[in-house]
Amino acid sequence: MSEQRLRICPFCEATCGLALEVRGREVLSVAGDAADVFSRGHLCPKGVAIAELDRDPDRLRTPLVRRGNELVEASWEEAFAVVASLLPRLQAEHGRDAVGVFVGNAAAHSLALSLYNGALVGGLRTRNFFSAGTTDQQPKQVAAAALFGTAVSIPIPDVDHTQLLWVLGANPLASNGSLMTAPGIGRRLRGIQERGGRVVVFDPRRSETAALADEHVALRPGTDAHLLFAVANVLFAEERAALGRLAPHVAGLAELEEALRDFRPEWAAARCGVGAETIRRLARELAAAPSAAVYGRIGTCTQSFGVLASFAVDVLNVLTGNFDRPGGALLTRPATGALHTVGPPGRGRGHRFGRFASRVRGFPEVFRELPNAVITEEILTPGPGQIRAFVTLGGNPVLSTPGGQHLAEALATLELLVCCDVYVNETSRFAHVVFPAPSPLEQPHYDVLLSQFAVRDVARWSPAVFPLTPGARPEWQTLLRLGAIANGAGDAVPVEALDESWARSRVERTLGDPASPLHGLSVDAVMEALTPRTGPERLVDFSLRAGPWGDHFGTRPDGLTLAKLEAAPHGIDLGPLGSRIPDALRTPSGKIELAPPALLADLPRLRAWHPPEAGALVLIGRRHVRSKNSWMHNLPRLVKGRARCTLLIHPDDAERTGVVHGGRARVASKGGALVAGVEVTRAMRPGVVSLPHGFGHDAEGARMGVARAHAGVNSNVLAASDVLEPLSGNAVLNGIPVDVSPA
Ligand SMILES: Nc1nc2c(c(=O)[nH]1)N[C@H]1C(S)=C(S)[C@@H](COP(=O)(O)OP(=O)(O)OC[C@H]3O[C@@H](n4cnc5c(=O)[nH]c(N)nc54)[C@H](O)[C@@H]3O)O[C@H]1N2
Ligand SMILES: Nc1nc2c(c(=O)[nH]1)N[C@H]1C(S)=C(S)[C@@H](COP(=O)(O)OP(=O)(O)OC[C@H]3O[C@@H](n4cnc5c(=O)[nH]c(N)nc54)[C@H](O)[C@@H]3O)O[C@H]1N2
Ligand code: SF4
Ligand SMILES: [Mo]
């Protein structure tokens, strides 16, 4: 007898509801949950592959510890004992900054990691905190913090109601959307067209999304800020800026107009490779649309002008009055809360950066985080504060960060490397201890992070589909225990006690906020009300009940609780995004800051930039729907078919460089060189070539048999770690100058 089980998919930001047919401990089939209130049956091949991940023989079931050159299976107690014998000693001898930590992308998709990584990171108390954020969205967060007051105050395009969507540097038909949780994005984009609206895609490649769009603007990589500021310039020059109801909440309008006075379309055209008349027309269309949303993602972030481009996106939404209105771009009101739903409404402390800096290069911290591009030098450069031990949580930085080949060499020199990961991969092969996480099907789920960026406010809870395999441990317990070792409490405190105090600290923090609806309640009473739940369930119940839709522990009896979600297995839809300004603002002024001095100070760099010489090539990245960064290449159904780690190149460039379709090309940058198969295609803008990231699975010591047979090459060998976006510390992964020649 088979039965149906529901689980939110943890593989991308779309968060689709999956409907699994299971028999005993076996998954018979995976379908989209047609009754899911948000995804309504949407599914992609990665979701189906959750069954293959669940049974993947290479997926780790037990901890591993290093014996000489080998990683061998060990008991949990042995594994914790190794960490307990080394970590506190290294901290005592060399200081807390001698231990670095990298939080990877899996933390966004795992409930355990998202709720408990703080227990470990907080326990380490190190300045050497790194994350995938500095190869991803950090520029967007810097812009959001400057304009609206918090790192997560990112306006989300209202794709379901807009009449005009501009997509810059994103390919949601492959990625399924990012900082725009919108399951079934293809359907939603076609919906815009069906109601008479338009989709315009700005991308150096005719991507799948560009092919669907009404217009494709094939701009030169790294010139989004040039183009968007020229659009703003036209809005000002032609008096088309119309703030509408935002007007009383905006500061710096005149300063912005002045700062952009020389960003004329003709000036931008020479840099972007897009005609001045096109830029003027686009500006007029944007101003005239009944509603419009400008949306920028990875291509606008992982480039040299990431912060300015992200800023420009927000500026256009505000100047056209589309920020904070239906059909435009809005802030969410997520059920488990966000920084912009807590604290006093309408005003906040804002953000100051550079309170400390990286040791070797002196790069300033941003949101208490250092660029992941400095990890290698921090490990290899001797002196006080040198990193001697390192922890990775759900990340594979050898493949995902710039100059990963050098990071690999550096990791091999560490006195202690602890990896929390589900595979022995290109990074964890260097570990002294590896702690596995259970199959996602053995863990409950709620999208605490991604709900903050969803195109509707929804709340969905997935209980674990299967009980834990005997011998497995939930990852939240691993994080608590490692946190206790890191903060000096040792490895003997019972995990229940650690969980109790972690939960209590969360509750205390919320109740201590005078603006919280729970302010004044007693911590004991709230902890009692959450009984008998423990672990992530307790924290989710608490966040829901304390959140903007919550029952506030009785004062709003109709409000959300985890029990209510458990009774609604397909989720609860809380409705479309609505206006939240001015309450959601957290800037010190209580205004939308349109002319933040730190951001405007970067304009001279933008002015000074010149396009590459004729004939020069630059490299950009891409994603494929059957791939997920560096880690889903071990699942047979996702790697079947033709090789996907290929160099895309325009026919004119192929002819000039002598490479041929189906042949092999040597691609070299100042950072390194590699050889990849060639696909000649008119989809590329001339002068631009494309390689996906996350491949290069032929490393010695990695244990992913399927991935090894489809190894591909690590594109981040070509990304140099010395050039960073200056305001955010983000890596520059798009627009890398390269030479291409036949191999
Ligand atoms: N050139 C180039 N480089 C890029 C990008 C690009 O576009 N171009 N994109 C960047 C972006 S946006 C990102 S987010 C990063 C991603 O890079 P990383 O942060 O390194 O993350 P992933 O490559 O997604 O690898 C996730 C890791 O988590 C492990 N994992 C999976 N599930 C779990 C779990 O439940 N628990 C634990 N502990 N581990 C788990 C996987 O085995 C894998 O090792 O790459 C960046 N690198
Ligand atoms: N299938 C799949 N889905 C994923 C992932 C995955 O690896 N695979 N990764 C997930 C993660 S971690 C993230 S962050 C998101 C990212 O999601 P998206 O932001 O949608 O990322 P991509 O699909 O890489 O699309 C980026 C586009 O930017 C273009 N581009 C490159 N440089 C520039 C530029 O300078 N300007 C402009 N305008 N465009 C440029 C590229 O040609 C590409 O088409 O996807 C998530 N979803
Ligand atoms: S689109 Fe994303 S969330 Fe949906 S099934 Fe595919 S990987 Fe999972
Ligand atoms: Mo990402």
Side-chain angles (χ1 to χ4, degrees):
M1 263 287 285
S2 71
E3 43 189 338
Q4 193 189 60
R5 291 289 162 74
L6 304 176
R7 174 60 155 89
I8 303 297
C9 177
F11 298 142
C12 88
E13 298 178 43
T15 70
C16 300
L18 304 177
L20 302 103
E21 278 301 310
V22 306
R23 189 170 50 210
R25 182 57 186 75
E26 193 190 353
V27 180
L28 302 178
S29 66
V30 182
D33 174 14
D36 184 286
V37 294
F38 196 20
S39 65
R40 305 208 177 277
H42 182 72
L43 178 72
C44 88
K46 293 188 297 305
V48 181
I50 199 167
E52 288 186 350
L53 175 67
D54 184 56
R55 59 173 180 260
D56 185 350
D58 289 338
R59 187 170 60 72
L60 299 176
R61 267 75 172 176
T62 70
L64 304 177
V65 300
R66 179 160 299 280
R67 300 246 191 280
N69 280 335
E70 280 272 5
L71 277 170
V72 299
E73 292 191 359
S75 73
W76 288 89
E77 293 320 308
E78 281 173 275
F80 285 118
V82 173
V83 181
S85 70
L86 291 172
L87 187 71
R89 182 175 61 73
L90 291 169
Q91 287 171 314
E93 279 175 22
H94 304 291
R96 306 202 73 96
D97 297 338
V99 185
V101 56
F102 176 84
V103 178
N105 178 267
H109 301 279
S110 146
L111 180 62
L113 277 170
S114 50
L115 293 178
Y116 286 85
N117 86 69
L120 172 51
V121 172
L124 287 170
R125 275 187 280 124
T126 173
R127 288 182 166 184
N128 283 312
F129 172 80
F130 310 94
S131 85
T134 48
T135 33
D136 189 347
Q137 80 292 343
Q138 192 84 320
K140 225 172 163 51
Q141 300 197 283
V142 168
L147 269 76
F148 310 117
T150 88
V152 297
S153 301
I154 294 173
I156 306 303
D158 189 3
V159 285
D160 293 340
H161 304 101
T162 195
Q163 287 298 106
L164 175 62
L165 180 68
W166 282 12
V167 176
L168 296 104
N171 182 14
L173 287 194
S175 68
N176 279 297
S178 179
L179 294 178
M180 173 181 71
T181 284
I185 186 66
R187 195 170 61 207
R188 294 174 200 267
L189 295 180
R190 281 185 287 273
I192 298 174
Q193 298 170 320
E194 279 157 20
R195 58 180 177 266
R198 277 165 58 78
V199 177
V200 182
V201 171
F202 301 73
D203 196 309
R205 175 170 79 97
R206 193 173 68 248
S207 65
E208 294 81 348
T209 310
L212 167 148
D214 300 277
E215 182 172 356
H216 171 210
V217 181
L219 82 177
R220 190 171 275 134
T223 63
D224 302 78
H226 297 87
L227 190 148
L228 296 182
F229 283 143
V231 168
N233 174 289
V234 173
L235 296 179
F236 282 124
E238 299 185 357
E239 293 182 7
R240 290 176 199 270
L243 303 184
R245 60 170 280 279
L246 296 174
H249 309 300
V250 168
L253 186 65
E255 291 93 320
L256 178 71
E257 178 171 5
E258 188 52 38
L260 300 183
R261 205 172 286 287
D262 54 344
F263 285 72
R264 293 176 43 74
E266 284 71 18
W267 173 87
R271 283 147 185 88
C272 317
V274 176
E277 271 323 298
T278 303
I279 297 175
R280 284 205 171 80
R281 172 179 56 79
L282 287 165
R284 290 168 193 154
E285 285 170 7
L286 186 70
S291 63
V294 182
Y295 163 69
R297 201 48 279 272
I298 204 87
T300 57
C301 287
T302 50
Q303 53 144 291
S304 351
F305 299 106
V307 171
L308 287 180
S310 302
F311 171 53
V313 165
D314 293 337
V315 158
L316 290 186
N317 284 321
V318 173
L319 285 186
T320 52
N322 282 303
F323 172 58
D324 198 49
R325 87 171 174 202
L330 303 93
L331 299 181
T332 59
R333 213 151 76 93
T336 43
L339 286 174
H340 50 71
T341 68
V342 299
R347 205 178 277 273
R349 256 181 296 181
H351 282 279
R352 216 160 38 83
F353 301 135
R355 287 158 293 185
F356 57 91
S358 71
R359 176 182 64 106
V360 178
R361 204 184 299 193
F363 201 96
E365 62 74 31
V366 174
F367 302 120
R368 297 210 169 275
E369 177 164 352
L370 294 171
N372 61 38
V374 312
I375 299 172
T376 300
E377 68 202 34
E378 292 296 332
I379 295 175
L380 292 180
T381 312
Q386 179 183 7
I387 294 180
R388 291 159 194 271
F390 203 77
V391 182
T392 67
L393 301 179
N396 187 7
V398 167
L399 293 194
S400 65
T401 63
Q405 71 276 36
H406 306 301
L407 178 61
E409 287 164 22
L411 294 178
T413 70
L414 288 168
E415 291 176 50
L416 175 65
L417 175 63
V418 177
C419 294
C420 294
D421 208 287
V422 299
Y423 288 112
V424 176
N425 61 20
E426 297 71 22
T427 299
S428 56
R429 68 194 159 115
F430 295 109
H432 298 86
V433 190
V434 184
F435 291 98
S439 163
L441 298 180
E442 295 179 4
Q443 305 184 50
H445 192 68
Y446 185 98
D447 278 299
V448 174
L449 192 81
L450 301 176
S451 309
Q452 300 184 31
F453 310 112
V455 298
R456 292 179 77 83
D457 290 320
V458 290
R460 292 169 305 161
W461 169 257
S462 303
V465 171
F466 298 128
L468 275 182
T469 300
R473 298 267 178 99
E475 189 160 35
W476 59 271
Q477 295 190 2
T478 304
L479 296 168
L480 284 171
R481 292 195 58 183
L482 290 175
I485 295 170
N487 73 20
D491 67 340
V493 188
V495 77
E496 294 74 20
L498 297 173
D499 185 40
E500 189 72 13
S501 68
W502 179 246
R504 184 171 271 274
S505 71
R506 310 291 89 189
V507 171
E508 277 168 357
R509 198 176 58 179
T510 300
L511 270 55
D513 170 7
S516 164
L518 307 190
H519 189 65
L521 293 183
S522 98
V523 174
D524 286 331
V526 169
M527 288 297 284
E528 179 63 31
L530 295 167
T531 313
R533 297 190 194 274
T534 60
E537 280 91 338
R538 169 161 58 189
L539 294 182
V540 171
D541 192 27
F542 174 65
S543 307
L544 286 169
R545 300 178 73 173
W549 306 85
D551 80 341
H552 300 168
F553 292 87
T555 54
R556 222 170 44 184
D558 291 339
L560 275 184
T561 63
L562 182 52
K564 283 213 169 116
L565 283 192
E566 286 168 328
H570 306 285
I572 294 180
D573 180 31
L574 303 166
L577 304 185
S579 294
R580 293 204 51 222
I581 299 301
D583 281 11
L585 293 174
R586 292 292 183 274
T587 48
S589 61
K591 304 274 185 200
I592 298 166
E593 292 291 353
L594 275 194
L599 273 51
L600 296 189
D602 199 27
L603 289 177
R605 197 172 60 93
L606 193 69
R607 286 196 189 89
W609 185 86
H610 285 288
E613 286 163 31
L617 294 174
V618 295
L619 176 73
I620 61 171
R622 69 176 187 274
R623 283 173 164 74
H624 190 281
V625 73
R626 284 182 185 264
S627 179
K628 173 68 196 289
N629 297 330
S630 76
W631 79 279
M632 293 189 77
H633 301 140
N634 209 49
L635 308 179
R637 76 158 51 234
L638 297 184
V639 291
K640 67 182 181 207
R642 63 196 177 92
R644 279 186 276 272
C645 185
T646 54
L647 184 79
L648 304 185
I649 186 168
H650 187 274
D652 296 350
D653 294 325
E655 201 186 319
R656 204 167 31 75
T657 56
V659 303
V660 294
H661 190 77
R664 295 175 70 70
R666 178 174 189 274
V667 188
S669 71
K670 76 168 189 193
L674 52 76
V675 172
V678 175
E679 277 185 72
V680 177
T681 165
R682 294 195 175 275
M684 292 310 300
R685 181 191 155 91
V688 187
V689 294
S690 156
L691 258 184
H693 73 285
F695 289 87
H697 298 300
D698 48 3
E700 195 186 322
R703 300 185 195 165
M704 301 191 294
V706 176
R708 182 176 294 277
H710 304 264
V713 285
N714 177 5
S715 68
N716 279 319
V717 160
L718 300 170
S721 56
D722 58 343
V723 201
L724 297 177
E725 197 286 335
L727 298 174
S728 63
N730 213 81
V732 177
L733 306 172
N734 284 300
I736 301 170
V738 287
D739 287 320
V740 173
S741 55

